[in-house]
Amino acid sequence: MSTEDRGPSMSTAFIEEPSDEELPARRMLDQDWRKVFNYGLLLALVLVFVALTNMPVNLDHRMLIEPIFSMGYLSLFWLPAVFGLVVCREPVLAGMPSHAKGSREVLAGSLVGLIGGAGLSVLTFLLDNFNLRDPLVNWSPQLLELLSFQRDTAFGIAIWLPVGLVLGTFGGLAHLLSATVRRMLSWAFASVIAFAIFETVILDLSEGFAWLGAEWLVEELYFIRGGLTMHGAAVLAVVGGLFAAFGRDRAHRAKERFDALEGTSRTRANAIGLLVVAAALVILPLFLGGITNELLANVGLFVLLALGLNIVVGLAGILDLGYVAFFAIGGYTAGILTTTNRGESWPDWMPQFYWGTALVAVVILAALAGLFIGAPVIRMRGDYLAIVTLGFGEIIRLLFLSDWLGGYTGAAQGVTNIPGVQVFGLATVKGTDPRAVFYLVLFFCAIAIYVSWRLERSRLGRAWMAIREDESVAEAMGINTVNAKLMAFVVGAVLASFSGAILAAKVGSVFPNSFIILVSIVILVVVIVGGMGNIAGVIVGSVVLIGILGGPRQPGLLQEFSEYKLLIYGVLLIWMMLKRPEGLVPNVRRTRELHQDEYLQDAWLRGEIDADSEHTDDSHSNGNTGVLPA
Amino acid sequence: MSRRLLTINKLSVTFGGLHALKDLDFYVDEGEIVSVIGPNGAGKTTFFNMISGMVTPTSGDIIFKGESLLGLDPNQVTAAGIARTFQNVRLFANMTILENVMVAQHCRTRQGLWGALFQTRPFKQEEQEIREHGEKVLSFFGTRLIGYRLDQPAAVLSYANRRRLEIARAMATKPTIILLDEPVAGMNPKESAALTRLIGELRSEWGFTIVMIEHDMSVVRDVSDRVVVLDHGETIAHGTYEEVSTNPDVIEAYLGRPAKESA
């Protein structure tokens, strides 16, 4: 896999320059046996766990390469290879010599794979001989067939040992390849997998671009019932590999040239880039089919939510776990005001409003809700604040569900018959026309991006940053922290309510169940995984999580995974926290915060740390340089 | 006789059963530099926390420019014109040096959401003023904090420069009185001599009134008009440096009582 490429790549935080000196490879049996054993056991556990979630069976019908390779086997096969690679990875320190790789690494990989394979053998044996259906409810009888490769169980028990061994050895062998070859292989592999996974989108696209006359290409590439054809996969692998060998350097150089730009030319380059992206977002949906536009619209709804939460959590540092409340308020307000089928407690004379008019009420109500929920909450800090917001998030949903407000909100039946949005009589934006929904969402996302961007560079934005850094000091420096935090709450609330209002028009109905606590969590995960405090990061986070995996109720590209969505969210979140806490597209400031030691060390290496220039003779007396006081 | 700026009457605070400050009386006139000294745990920092609104006194009154500061939040105290630094430097370490002094002007500026979103003329003008004032304040320390440093995070500064930036940040709030909590702690003798000179300039060129907690007696001697000595939360001496430095109570507080008397 391409784990190698995804290592910590902050240019500031690590200076990775392995020294030219290379120590000879260690002897084959000079192993860290305990580590090998631990990794092997861990691999076995993970494999057994994945198998018992029944993921291989559920994914088995999705063919990646017809007829030999399904996603079900992929879900098991990639693990031994990655573990076999990772077991012998050692950090390379700047200027320090490192050992050459040799048979030792390969052996370690093989052993890890073997132990992991043994785990699956044991599982196959146990599943066959004991009745484990009772405690372990998820797996289905097909799992046993899959684990024994559709033959008898004895074959399955025996075969997993060599399979694990071979896969682990592949992982270990990767150490021996030169960086270029390794990169070529991982790109070849990645491009095959990517084309297989993104099949729906690519087919969708090819229909939109049918006038280009390239349909034969897609027909060659994909099998009729799904999955890549063998020769299609081969071609993709070669193209991917060649790109890694030749195209990638060129792309890197282009990026370097771009980074080297300064001043007005940099601003101009940024503006052009932004224009191109914007133009693509406006033009591309015209050529996309319903499925992709639906996906994009869902992603957009979450971008809107995540941008709002990003102001609250990323800029002002208020951990709000009840953010879904504002989403709900937006949805219900827009729904109730525009529906033809309003709850019986509303007076008859109340007219049915136009969506745009209702939006004014949505903004006002969301802002007020932000104030009312924010006011009691904002005086708390840290964990307490998180817990109280969590409570408020549920309270709002339960209020909509309650008998007390049921006459107005339809209680469990929710609000239905919400018409679409008429845009100047030109089009009606509703769920049946995902392209129109996407354009509406895009418009509001643009507003949200503009708001985030401007506010971050304003007096208010600076106040939020100061509060995030040190609330007491911010207050002592004259910032009215209560007002500033309330402001963050209100802005976040309004952006979420936009998303809710669009959802109401898109789906045509709102139910209390659309606003469960899980939505808050997912939005927070999107912000964290994408990169807290960074607009681009938040967008990338939404695309990756919502677009590919799917939202709490929205299917993503990998519809087969929807059952395991939360599992994958969890794994991803833990992995991110351990390896890259600043997110996929980090905010510079947060990266510094989280990697302060590395940052200061690099600054020191570059000679930027100031050792008091005035009297170098006794500068050692304040040798705290670069170390923060407690 | 210059105007009385700050008057503190019978100020007490107790934490549980502990009297951190007991019936403290204190005053500062406009343009004075007053040092507060005392052994560790004497209540000096509590005294500052109380003036700046971070701790609420149990009894007594704090009157600044004729109005009571009691019950005000720290940000309101700063807005009224009292800025402070912290003993354990507390900068916004991941904000740039310029941002540190820009954010400190929050209570002197007005532009909010509207101006930022629509980039109104007053907003742009105010941003410009904030930036200019910030650079002006930073240039008080020579070239140490300006130039290429402006856009560096405060975390890369040396310890002495962090202390300087803290003072600059307090200056940026456009205060009347600056409370300096051990401004030269951790500096070498040359640096503290230079900073002592700057503290004098804070008064003579910028017109600030200064109350300073300091352990370094040469600094106290060189700039203070008056010295107040605290011990166990009470004022034990008060006067010019010469007066308090020869006061037997002060010597006893610092050095302890001779063994035979305490027996």
Side-chain angles (χ1 to χ4, degrees), chain A residues 450 459 476 589 610 614, chain B residues 78 99 109 117 144 149 158:
Chain A
Y450 178 80
R459 168 174 173 269
R589 232 179 279 273
D610 89 271
E614 217 180 337
Chain B
T78 309
E99 280 171 346
T109 44
L117 291 186
R144 282 192 196 83
R149 287 242 173 260
S158 72

Side-chain angles (χ1 to χ4, degrees), chain A residues 300-312 323 326-327 330 359 362-363 366-367 444-453 455 488-502, chain B residues 117:
Chain A
L301 282 178
F302 275 84
V303 167
L304 203 48
L305 286 168
L307 281 172
L309 188 64
N310 182 47
I311 290 179
V312 183
Y323 190 62
F326 305 121
F327 187 39
L359 204 60
V362 167
V363 169
F444 281 96
C445 281
I447 294 180
I449 291 171
Y450 178 80
V451 167
S452 312
W453 174 62
L455 286 186
F489 238 74
V490 168
V491 175
V494 169
L495 292 183
S497 72
F498 284 153
S499 194
I502 299 172
Chain B
L117 291 186

Side-chain angles (χ1 to χ4, degrees), chain A residues 450 454 459 462 469-470 473 475-480 589 592-593 596 610 612 614-615 618 629, chain B residues 75 78 84 90 92-94 99 106-107 109 111 117 119 127 144 149 157-158 161-162 190-191:
Chain A
Y450 178 80
R454 280 300 187 200
R459 168 174 173 269
R462 285 191 297 269
E469 296 252 332
D470 190 332
V473 176
E475 198 174 11
M477 286 303 128
I479 295 167
N480 188 330
R589 232 179 279 273
R592 280 203 298 253
E593 229 167 274
Q596 198 148 56
D610 89 271
D612 267 289
E614 217 180 337
H615 6 247
D618 47 17
Chain B
N75 63 302
T78 309
R84 69 169 295 178
R90 286 168 80 175
F92 304 120
N94 296 296
E99 280 171 346
H106 193 86
C107 61
T109 44
Q111 290 296 320
L117 291 186
Q119 296 288 301
E127 284 290 295
R144 282 192 196 83
R149 287 242 173 260
L157 289 179
S158 72
N161 274 346
R162 281 190 215 156
K190 273 186 190 169
E191 285 169 339

Side-chain angles (χ1 to χ4, degrees), chain A residues 427-567:
Chain A
T428 312
V429 179
K430 53 197 278 188
T432 48
D433 184 3
R435 184 177 299 144
V437 177
F438 173 71
Y439 280 128
L440 186 67
V441 174
L442 187 67
F443 174 71
F444 281 96
C445 281
I447 294 180
I449 291 171
Y450 178 80
V451 167
S452 312
W453 174 62
R454 280 300 187 200
L455 286 186
E456 197 182 340
R457 288 156 189 77
S458 74
R459 168 174 173 269
L460 197 56
R462 285 191 297 269
W464 287 338
M465 280 187 270
I467 290 171
R468 200 187 70 206
E469 296 252 332
D470 190 332
E471 196 170 333
S472 327
V473 176
E475 198 174 11
M477 286 303 128
I479 295 167
N480 188 330
T481 49
V482 173
N483 279 358
K485 284 159 79 179
L486 271 181
M487 213 56 167
F489 238 74
V490 168
V491 175
V494 169
L495 292 183
S497 72
F498 284 153
S499 194
I502 299 172
L503 182 85
K506 173 177 181 277
V507 181
S509 52
V510 281
F511 305 103
N513 274 352
S514 320
F515 306 106
I516 44 175
I517 206 81
L518 183 65
V519 181
S520 294
I521 308 290
V522 168
I523 304 167
L524 188 64
V525 173
V526 164
V527 172
I528 292 172
V529 168
M532 222 185 252
N534 188 328
I535 298 172
V538 167
I539 296 172
V540 169
S542 309
V543 171
V544 169
L545 288 177
I546 309 301
I548 298 181
L549 282 174
R553 279 170 182 281
Q554 296 77 4
L557 258 186
L558 299 178
Q559 287 169 16
E560 292 82 0
F561 277 109
S562 56
E563 215 175 309
Y564 309 103
K565 210 150 41 189
L566 293 182
L567 178 69

Side-chain angles (χ1 to χ4, degrees), chain A residues 191-232:
Chain A
S191 41
V192 171
I193 297 292
F195 271 83
I197 285 179
F198 296 133
E199 190 181 333
T200 20
V201 174
I202 291 166
L203 288 177
D204 211 39
L205 260 174
S206 82
E207 269 166 42
F209 285 97
W211 47 274
L212 281 179
E215 265 179 322
W216 62 270
L217 202 65
V218 180
E219 275 165 25
E220 282 299 303
L221 208 55
Y222 291 106
F223 194 72
I224 296 173
R225 275 179 290 126
L228 291 167
T229 53
M230 297 272 258
H231 53 277

